[in-house]
């Protein structure tokens, strides 16, 4: 009986042991390795490396951004902001000049048509009053023709004083030059946003002010002289403080000696694209521009100026004489002849002067002569710089000169070589004007 109880106890204990072995307790911590979520900085850097964006600006953490705010008052950022401000003002100037050009062109058309219609109507009235067909309204024809001739004379004098066709051409040139300056500023900011300096800002400001002086916006008190004693080429660029003039026939001897010294130090090398041959070609082109192109357009401008001055004086005189003749209608045949003949001649003069836009032609010659002077001074300024490293690239400068003269590079070199050898004396440097 005792042995039976002992075996029973052993069997129960073995069952408890087995149950303890085969039924484990729930573990407090699972042994799974959960990957750590990447931070925002690591995720963006991984995407940049995966897609090949290796040359981008490094991303700073948000903690760094909050602790170190951006410095917007650095000299480079301030200069760039100033250039953007100047560019906005230049764009506004271009729009203003464009609107004025359209307005003053309308003035020319309206005044021309009005004066011609008034003169022709008054001449017709003066002629009809002498036929005897309209005997009763003779006084009305006489008074009306006199008033129309007098009013046309006053408007003719005003139109000759302001020369609306010339005013319109001035504003068109100003619009083109302001838009050109705007493009230059945009290019400078696009290719070097962190590079503009205060010196470049000052130079751009000087260019804007020079354009304002050359092509003023207001009409009264600031209008350019329309009948000067002699035509002077337009100047819309700031004056250069340093005199790099070539003279009439040769470079300044001091600058020429400096150039030769640099060339002997770097013999056989083209420094910054400049060589002795290129310097000779550019110097020859500058002399041709001054002696041929600029001189020719100044001569033509002076000729147009004389013709325009004669028309500006003769037109009001003829219309005034017609008004005088119409005032004496009924005193014989000569008042009728004077009124009709002088009125017809005044209408012809008005059509030739303002319909032919003599003022616009004069301004075109003046502006073209200024263009040649600017190109000439640009060449002289580059050649006057003794250190070639400080010049503009020779290849780029040669291409710009060729484009502005309407020539290819080979044509420009051949032209300079032939002129240097004494050939092609009657050929002008420019093929555009």
């Amino acid at each position: 009986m005792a042995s039976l109880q002992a075996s029973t106890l052993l069997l129960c204990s073995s069952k408890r042991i087995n149950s303890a072995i085969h039924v484990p307790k729930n573990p407090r911590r699972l042994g799974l390795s959960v990957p750590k979520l990447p931070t925002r900085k690591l995720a963006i850097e991984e995407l940049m490396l995966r897609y090949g964006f290796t040359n981008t600006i490094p991303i700073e953490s948000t903690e760094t951004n909050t602790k170190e705010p951006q410095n917007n008052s650095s000299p480079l950022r301030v200069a760039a902001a100033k250039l953007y401000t100047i560019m906005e003002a230049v764009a506004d100037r271009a729009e203003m000049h464009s609107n004025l050009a359209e307005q003053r062109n309308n003035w020319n058309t309206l005044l021309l048509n009005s004066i011609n219609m008034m003169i022709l109507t008054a001449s017709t009235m003066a002629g009809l009053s002498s036929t005897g067909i309209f005997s009763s309204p003779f006084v009305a024809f006489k008074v009306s023709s006199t008033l129309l001739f007098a009013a046309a004379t006053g408007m003719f004098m005003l139109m000759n004083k302001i020369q609306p066709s010339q005013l319109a051409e001035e504003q068109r040139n100003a619009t083109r030059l302001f838009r050109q300056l705007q493009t230059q500023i945009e290019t400078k900011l696009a290719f070097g946003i962190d590079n503009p300096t205060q010196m470049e800002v000052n130079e751009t400001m000087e260019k804007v002010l020079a354009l304002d002086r050359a092509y003023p916006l207001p009409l009264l008190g600031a209008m350019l002289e329309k009948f000067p004693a002699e035509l002077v080429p337009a100047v819309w660029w700031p004056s250069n403080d340093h005199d790099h003039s070539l003279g009439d026939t040769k470079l300044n001897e001091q600058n020429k000696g400096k150039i030769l010294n640099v060339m002997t130090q770097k013999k056989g090398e083209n420094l910054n694209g400049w060589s002795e041959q290129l310097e000779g070609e550019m110097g020859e082109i500058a002399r041709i521009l001054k002696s041929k192109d600029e001189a020719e357009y100044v001569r033509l401008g002076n000729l147009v100026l004389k013709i325009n001055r004669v028309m500006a004086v003769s037109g009001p005189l003829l219309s005034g004489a017609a008004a005088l003749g119409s005032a004496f209608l009924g005193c014989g045949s000569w008042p009728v002849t004077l009124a009709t003949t002088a009125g017809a001649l005044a209408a012809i003069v008005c059509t030739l002067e303002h319909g032919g836009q003599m003022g616009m032609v004069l301004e075109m010659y003046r502006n073209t002569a200024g263009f040649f002077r600017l190109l000439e001074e640009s060449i002289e300024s580059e050649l006057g710089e003794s250190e070639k490293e400080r010049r503009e690239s020779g290849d780029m400068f040669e291409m710009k000169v060729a484009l502005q003269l309407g020539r290819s590079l080979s044509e420009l070199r051949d032209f300079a070589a032939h002129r240097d050898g004494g050939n092609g004396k009657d050929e002008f440097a420019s093929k555009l004007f």
Side-chain angles (χ1 to χ4, degrees):
M1 188 67 182
S3 62
L4 183 59
Q5 289 178 353
S7 62
T8 305
L9 289 173
L10 287 173
L11 181 61
C12 291
S13 62
S14 63
K15 285 182 180 181
R16 287 178 183 175
I17 292 171
N18 289 338
S19 64
I21 294 173
H22 293 289
V23 184
K25 293 181 179 180
N26 290 332
R28 294 181 181 178
R29 181 181 297 176
L30 295 176
L32 299 176
S33 61
V34 180
K36 220 177 176 183
L37 292 176
T39 62
R40 178 176 176 270
K41 177 181 176 182
L42 293 177
I44 294 176
E45 289 181 353
E46 183 180 354
L47 289 173
M48 289 166 59
L49 292 174
R50 182 182 302 175
Y51 291 102
F53 298 106
T54 56
N55 294 326
T56 55
I57 301 173
I59 299 173
E60 298 180 356
S61 61
T62 56
E63 294 81 7
T64 306
N65 289 337
T66 55
K67 292 179 181 179
E68 297 179 2
Q70 284 186 338
N71 185 13
N72 293 326
S73 61
S74 64
L76 294 179
R77 291 182 179 274
V78 171
K82 290 180 178 179
L83 279 182
Y84 275 111
T85 304
I86 295 174
M87 185 175 65
E88 292 176 0
V90 167
D92 183 63
R93 292 279 212 292
E95 185 65 25
M96 294 169 66
H97 282 284
S98 178
N99 294 337
L100 284 178
E102 184 178 356
Q103 177 201 55
R104 290 167 184 179
N105 187 50
N106 291 336
W107 286 0
N108 185 71
T109 303
L110 293 174
L111 288 172
L112 170 64
N113 294 335
S114 299
I115 292 172
N116 278 344
M117 289 301 297
M118 292 168 68
I119 291 175
L120 294 176
T121 302
S123 299
T124 304
M125 288 182 176
L128 290 174
S129 65
S130 64
T131 59
I133 300 175
F134 304 98
S135 57
S136 57
F138 171 76
V139 178
F141 277 155
K142 178 180 177 180
V143 174
S144 299
S145 63
T146 303
L147 291 176
L148 284 174
F149 275 129
T153 302
M155 293 175 63
F156 211 161
M157 294 176 65
L158 177 63
M159 192 175 185
N160 290 339
K161 176 66 176 178
I162 65 174
Q163 292 289 316
S165 64
Q166 187 172 351
L167 288 174
E169 182 66 16
E170 289 174 6
Q171 303 308 315
R172 282 191 288 264
N173 289 330
T175 301
R176 179 179 60 85
L177 293 171
F178 271 112
R179 286 175 178 168
Q180 185 182 33
L181 180 59
Q182 179 185 356
T183 304
Q184 293 174 0
I185 299 173
E186 289 175 351
T187 304
K188 185 179 296 184
L189 291 171
F191 284 93
I193 189 64
D194 292 331
N195 296 329
T197 60
Q198 185 61 38
M199 182 180 297
E200 292 176 344
V201 173
N202 296 336
E203 290 176 356
T204 308
M205 280 288 294
E206 290 177 0
K207 291 179 181 179
V208 174
L209 296 178
L211 276 171
D212 287 337
R213 289 190 298 268
Y215 303 101
L217 280 169
L219 186 62
L220 299 176
M223 184 178 66
L224 299 178
E225 178 62 37
K226 296 299 179 284
F227 296 98
E230 187 177 356
L231 179 71
V232 178
V235 178
W236 61 83
W237 59 92
S239 60
N240 192 2
D241 295 334
H242 303 284
D243 185 15
H244 295 314
S245 177
L246 289 174
D248 293 336
T249 56
K250 62 181 180 178
L251 283 168
N252 182 277
E253 294 297 331
Q254 183 179 0
N255 291 334
K256 190 175 180 180
K258 291 180 181 179
I259 293 174
L260 291 177
N261 289 336
V262 176
M263 291 176 61
T264 52
Q265 293 175 4
K266 302 286 185 179
K267 188 175 181 180
E269 297 183 8
N270 290 343
L271 298 179
N272 197 19
W274 287 90
S275 63
E276 185 178 3
Q277 180 182 0
L278 180 58
E279 288 177 348
E281 291 174 357
M282 291 294 107
E284 184 65 25
I285 289 171
R287 286 189 285 270
I288 297 168
L289 287 171
K290 185 172 185 178
S291 62
K292 292 288 294 182
D293 297 76
E294 181 184 344
E296 178 66 14
Y297 278 90
V298 170
R299 183 187 69 83
L300 292 174
N302 284 320
L303 178 62
V304 173
L305 179 61
K306 293 178 181 178
I307 297 173
N308 196 28
R309 185 181 288 115
V310 171
M311 289 184 176
V313 173
S314 61
L317 284 178
L318 288 170
S319 60
L324 182 64
S326 64
F328 288 95
L329 289 176
C331 299
S333 61
W334 67 268
V336 178
T337 304
L338 179 62
T340 54
T341 305
L345 291 175
I348 292 173
V349 171
C350 182
T351 303
L352 289 176
E353 182 183 4
H354 299 290
Q357 298 191 357
M358 300 297 292
M360 183 273 291
V361 175
L362 177 64
E363 178 62 24
M364 182 187 68
Y365 285 150
R366 190 177 77 95
N367 192 75
T368 305
F371 165 77
F372 289 130
R373 177 168 292 186
L374 174 60
L375 185 57
E376 174 196 345
E377 290 185 4
S378 300
I379 296 174
E380 293 174 354
S381 179
E382 291 295 328
L383 294 179
E385 179 58 59
S386 59
E387 298 180 9
K388 296 183 181 180
E389 293 82 358
R390 298 179 60 183
R391 300 180 186 174
E392 186 179 355
S393 173
D395 298 332
M396 181 67 69
F397 187 76
E398 184 183 18
M399 184 183 71
K400 285 168 60 175
V401 171
L403 288 173
Q404 289 175 344
L405 296 179
R407 294 176 178 271
S408 64
L409 291 175
S410 59
E411 288 177 347
L412 186 69
R413 292 164 185 164
D414 293 341
F415 171 73
H418 291 162
R419 286 301 301 257
D420 194 21
N423 300 324
K425 294 182 180 180
D426 295 333
E427 189 178 0
F428 293 91
S430 175
K431 285 188 172 183
L432 293 178
F433 301 101

